[in-house]
Amino acid sequence: MHKLYVAMVGLPARGKSTMARRIRDGLLAEGIAAKIFNNGDVRRQLLGSESTEPDFYNPDNSFGRQAREMIARRNLEEAQAWLASDDGEVAILDATNASRARRQFIESKLRDHPVLFVECVNEDPLLLNACIRRKADLPEYASYTKDEALKSFLKRIEYYETIYDPLTDEKYWMCVDSTANRVLAERPCEISPYYAAIREIVVSVWTPCLYLARHGQTEFNIQGRIGGDPPLTAKGRAQAQALARHMEGRPIDWVFTSTRMRSHETAAPLLESHPEAHVMALREFDEIWAGDCENMLYSEIREKMPEVTAARNADKYAYAYPNGESYAILRERVQRGLRRALFLAGDQPLLILGHQAINRVLVSLFLRQRTEDVPYIHIPQNQYFHIALTPHRKLFERIPYEGSGGVPVDKDTALKDPQIYA
Ligand code: F6P
């Protein structure tokens, strides 16, 4: 029977644990027995708060170094025993495994089955910053102020950076941009039948629960005026309240808005009912930029700039407003925004509060719509989309939040092979 060790590699806050869970869950969905052995869990159990202090990670602190080596050894032995039993097929070692020396130790100790190192990198400053800030909320920092926790965690990273070696000499490895579901470099472990499955999991888009809603009605919507930064109307505010009521009791960990007032105003009641949710405004979710036509009425554009209306009608997807954007251009930044949002939310439920054109592009990324159809996708202001995309579940439904029940849109088949990072 084939067996494999997967050893995660990477500095703290690079998405290793999320990736380890995805590899485990993806393999389990294929009927392959996979289990995570996490050094951090053992450390917290054995040493508690003592090991939260940054000095514990100082390479010159021999107590800390020995304790971490002992924990690593213990986890290797547990993983080895599990693979030696009939139960185990893929043991995932979740730890930083930052130095070459540590990885040589792993390779020398685990000789019974191949070891595949999976390195996670995250070079996006916005994401790295947000991930680091989120770590300050971990239970192990409960007795720290937010600032103290942040300082302590940054110091821990600094110590790891002094011993960090990227993968090169190891026998089998894969270096993954964990913010973009991309393999950056690899030395494939072709002798293992699990390599291809793991690679597939790593490059797959994964979201257990994504809600996608549009802001409520604005005065501009009533007038047929585009772009700008208008506030919600009374009806729009009522829609925002209805959305919040509908979402009550449904866990939402992250709310992503655009930088526009209508998006913020729609999020406000929802954030009252979900005070624990993290909120982030991303420019990537700002409405299509109409350039010279910003703040104009559609009717005004028809009269004063007939060539714009004609060219847009001829090819709405490719047409870019003078000094503005097209749907084709928009797609690039919406993809980047989605990637960021999905990375930050990890496996937690998230909600994106976008705009008409933004949500059209987002929907099209999941449903593989023909480009010419994208600018015409119906994006109502009193319904939202609920999307789940994991190896266990593929779901796309549109749900009215002022009524009840969902309107499934060709579930199961619709989401196969989405093109999100194409
Ligand atoms: O009309 C509302 C709006 O969000 C505008 O701000 C935006 O320009 C437009 O929708 C995008 O839709 P379309 O591409 O159909 O004009």
Side-chain angles (χ1 to χ4, degrees), residues 214 221 226-227 287-288 298 312 316 327 356 360:
R214 184 181 168 194
N221 292 148
I226 65 172
E287 182 55 310
I288 190 168
Y298 282 115
R312 203 160 189 256
K316 193 173 172 189
Y327 275 86
Q356 175 154 259
R360 282 175 176 156

Side-chain angles (χ1 to χ4, degrees), residues 182-200:
R182 241 195 328 251
V183 172
L184 300 173
E186 63 193 312
R187 187 175 282 169
C189 179
E190 273 142 4
I191 54 164
S192 170
Y194 304 127
Y195 187 82
I198 291 171
R199 200 181 192 291
E200 184 62 34

Side-chain angles (χ1 to χ4, degrees), residues 305-326:
M305 305 165 91
E307 70 290 353
V308 168
T309 306
R312 203 160 189 256
N313 287 345
D315 188 351
K316 193 173 172 189
Y317 185 80
Y319 178 77
Y321 282 106
N323 298 312
E325 290 179 308
S326 63

